[in-house]
Amino acid sequence: MNTLELWHDIVRKREPGRLDEVLAEDCVFLSPIVHTPQQGRDLTRFCLTGALNVFNESFEYVKEIV
């Protein structure tokens, strides 16, 4: 499974505990809500875990740019 497929699996199954499988230690998260880059795996995991807890079963991607 490639990284993008793994990300989709994590979101579909709502398993934020698996985020370290796709996050690099030095990743930078650009949030549309927090207007400064969020640097590092721990902070990125925190932000994405919050987002995954807000998403419900009706969440769906409408566009994906790779």
Side-chain angles (χ1 to χ4, degrees):
M1 186 178 302
N2 70 38
T3 303
L4 188 56
E5 291 170 333
L6 186 53
W7 164 253
H8 283 287
D9 191 55
I10 291 167
V11 172
R12 182 176 47 257
K13 294 178 180 175
R14 302 173 53 88
E15 297 179 328
R18 295 176 54 207
L19 286 169
D20 284 356
E21 296 177 44
V22 294
L23 297 176
E25 188 173 328
D26 62 347
C27 65
V28 178
F29 179 63
L30 302 176
S31 170
I33 297 171
V34 180
H35 301 290
T36 58
Q38 304 301 296
Q39 299 184 349
R41 181 187 298 160
D42 292 341
L43 195 48
T44 300
R45 184 187 326 106
F46 176 78
C47 293
L48 290 175
T49 297
L52 286 172
N53 286 321
V54 171
F55 294 158
N56 59 36
E57 291 76 28
S58 67
F59 173 81
E60 65 180 275
Y61 285 95
V62 294
K63 184 174 184 179
E64 182 173 88
I65 300 170
V66 178

